[in-house]
Amino acid sequence: AQSVTQLGSHVSVSEGALVLLRCNYSSSVPPYLFWYVQYPNQGLQLLLKYTSAATLVKGINGFEAEFKKSETSFHLTKPSAHMSDAAEYFCALGDAGNNRKLIWGLGTSLAVNP
Amino acid sequence: GAGVSQSPSNKVTEKGKDVELRCDPISGHTALYWYRQSLGQGLEFLIYFQGNSAPDKSGLPSDRFSAERTGGSVSTLTIQRTQQEDSAVYLCASSLGSTTEAFFGQGTRLTVV
């Protein structure tokens, strides 16, 4: 069965520090993977997606994620955190890229301290 | 419109009452999805509309849940005889097609007391 696990429901970093949000998946078929972000009082927004092309995917706002098949991981990183990055981040696993079949992680709340 | 709009943003209802949640998708988007996010749970797919095709209702948790999409635009999710376990945030999303980026509304927080 397909599943997504986000390690750490809450992550806190200092402004300017590296952001690392962890996502591991389980899938019996080649996965499509997504990271979404939800800023306070806003809807979910797509940060980036992996669809079997380049394993290092660059997204908006300086975020990137690397698909590692051997580790079944798709961790999200940003070299230098900004206060505006404080939000809820969701990792999702797709079925051949069909949105309706997305399997979602529970989310990671990122706090950025001055 | 500029984005996906959902109303109301918050709804408190008594157990046993019916509720209607509204979603106004981005103009021109043919695909529309409803998801539910319960406390401590990931987003759960409920139903999917694509153009004039029959909707995919495979995620609806019970026959108390139904949804319609009128004129290929606005959608209404109806929950009959609400139960406390229906308390959740209900999210609507739309996309140009089923495999393109989905744009989400801000959600409706439903509380059943």
Side-chain angles (χ1 to χ4, degrees), chain A residues 35-109:
Chain A
W35 275 100
Y36 279 82
V37 61
Q38 186 170 30
Y39 298 105
N41 300 316
Q42 296 187 28
L44 285 160
Q45 178 181 1
L46 181 66
L47 266 181
L48 48 81
K49 61 182 178 182
Y50 166 77
T51 56
S52 75
T55 56
L56 182 61
V57 181
K58 294 187 183 299
I60 61 172
N61 301 337
F63 283 92
E64 62 182 36
E66 185 172 8
F67 173 71
K68 292 186 177 180
K69 183 178 179 180
S70 62
E71 299 179 7
T72 60
S73 69
F74 190 58
H75 301 332
L76 181 71
T77 61
K78 182 174 180 178
S80 177
H82 191 272
M83 297 295 289
S84 61
D85 294 327
E88 188 86 15
Y89 292 81
F90 294 90
C91 182
L93 170 66
D95 178 359
N98 188 331
N99 287 327
R100 61 180 162 160
K101 298 298 186 184
L102 284 177
I103 308 298
W104 295 79
L106 297 183
T108 297
S109 178

